[in-house]
Amino acid sequence: MMICEAKEVVSGLADILFPAQCQTCGAVLIGDGGDIFCSNCLSTVRFTTAPQCTSCGRPFEATQGADHLCEECILSRPPFSVARSLGVYEGALLDVIHLFKYHGKISVGEALGRMMAQAPYDSLAIGDYSLIIPVPLHPKRLRERGFNQSLILARQVSKQFSIPLEFLVLRRTLHTEAQVTLSGRRRRANVKGAFEVTDPSGTQGHKILLIDDVYTTGSTAAECSKVLMKSGAKEVAVLTLARA
Ligand SMILES: [Zn+2]
Ligand SMILES: [Zn+2]
């Protein structure tokens, strides 16, 4: 009890001395707008809403109507059951993802991970999954960046839902070009054969929630899912922060 109170006093003091600021515009946060955004900036975040593709989560132009399969998923069903994102990769959400990923603001990443865990998703209930796996980085990229952004997000989701986190079983064996610079077809070719499961007993029979930061063409998510399904996973669903 005493320790709890002391902790509260210290964190209260820290709030006065170093008030939390909006990570986008710098406004002081006075208990609104969540952990990282002021209410103004939060209002620019476009959270993904229906109607969207029941499988890959592609948002449709229409603002009303039921979810259905998109053309691409009708032609070829992805190896994951469902892919969902917190929001659209633009505006304030894009800014904070850059702060986290390219400027090493880990605390921003942790706050984004908590947002990701708390948001509701159509056709995806995080609590239904038995294992959380972040999309791995190749060791070379990990050395360059110093952290795996997907692992930081995954850790928050794992913590909030008490779902085990496994970040060694899926490995990136090929150092590929950054997906950002490539077109759709080249992205798929770029990640083909880039991942492997080190120990299938770690994935067998699991309902896996795969976590990544940004979903662009879905080729990374699809390639990881394919490898995990081949290694005996019962299901793989994909959760990302933002959809490009
Ligand atoms: Zn702001
Ligand atoms: Zn689709």
Side-chain angles (χ1 to χ4, degrees):
M1 196 62 185
M2 284 292 283
I3 293 170
C4 258
E5 278 166 11
K7 252 189 182 169
E8 270 163 32
V9 170
V10 170
S11 94
L13 264 177
D15 285 346
I16 294 165
L17 294 172
F18 311 104
Q21 285 182 304
C22 171
Q23 293 296 326
T24 312
C25 72
V28 171
L29 297 176
I30 317 156
D32 72 338
D35 271 331
I36 43 177
F37 296 114
C38 68
S39 47
N40 260 344
C41 292
L42 186 66
S43 72
T44 72
V45 175
R46 193 141 62 95
F47 292 97
T48 45
T49 50
Q52 56 189 340
C53 173
T54 39
S55 175
C56 76
R58 176 194 301 267
F60 296 120
E61 300 262 321
T63 51
Q64 291 197 337
D67 289 351
H68 55 89
L69 280 178
C70 76
E71 212 174 306
E72 245 180 75
C73 291
I74 290 173
L75 288 173
S76 157
R77 282 300 288 272
F80 48 76
S81 57
V82 60
R84 291 292 179 261
S85 303
L86 177 70
V88 179
Y89 194 39
E90 62 177 27
L93 187 57
L94 181 145
D95 290 343
V96 290
I97 290 174
H98 278 208
L99 263 181
F100 167 39
K101 203 169 155 183
Y102 303 115
H103 300 275
K105 274 244 182 184
I106 304 292
S107 61
V108 169
E110 289 167 343
L112 285 168
R114 287 192 292 275
M115 277 179 86
M116 201 176 186
Q118 283 155 7
Y121 302 95
D122 270 0
S123 319
L124 189 151
I126 296 175
D128 287 349
Y129 293 83
S130 57
L131 191 65
I132 292 182
I133 296 184
V135 168
L137 290 181
H138 187 270
K140 185 165 186 277
R141 172 117 339 117
L142 186 61
R143 277 197 300 277
E144 285 163 7
R145 185 167 294 155
F147 62 95
N148 176 359
Q149 70 276 10
S150 303
L151 173 57
I152 286 165
L153 299 170
R155 199 169 266 147
Q156 294 302 319
V157 181
S158 156
K159 217 197 266 175
Q160 294 220 9
F161 283 85
S162 303
I163 300 171
L165 173 71
E166 171 55 76
F167 58 93
L168 296 173
V169 79
L170 182 66
R171 226 161 53 104
R172 193 169 196 133
T173 50
L174 282 181
H175 183 57
T176 54
E177 253 179 274
Q179 291 286 80
V180 168
T181 59
L182 302 173
S183 67
R185 186 175 305 175
R186 293 198 48 211
R187 278 172 186 251
R188 277 188 295 278
N190 191 41
V191 291
K192 205 167 167 25
F195 300 92
E196 71 170 26
V197 168
T198 54
D199 176 13
S201 72
T203 51
Q204 243 150 33
H206 273 293
K207 279 169 72 90
I208 296 171
L209 185 66
L210 180 74
I211 294 194
D212 204 359
D213 54 342
V214 180
Y215 185 107
T216 309
T217 60
S219 46
T220 301
E223 190 64 24
C224 289
S225 304
K226 198 176 83 188
V227 171
L228 290 167
M229 289 302 286
K230 267 192 188 159
S231 301
K234 203 169 160 195
E235 183 196 333
V236 181
V238 180
L239 183 61
T240 58
L241 257 186
R243 173 142 194 145

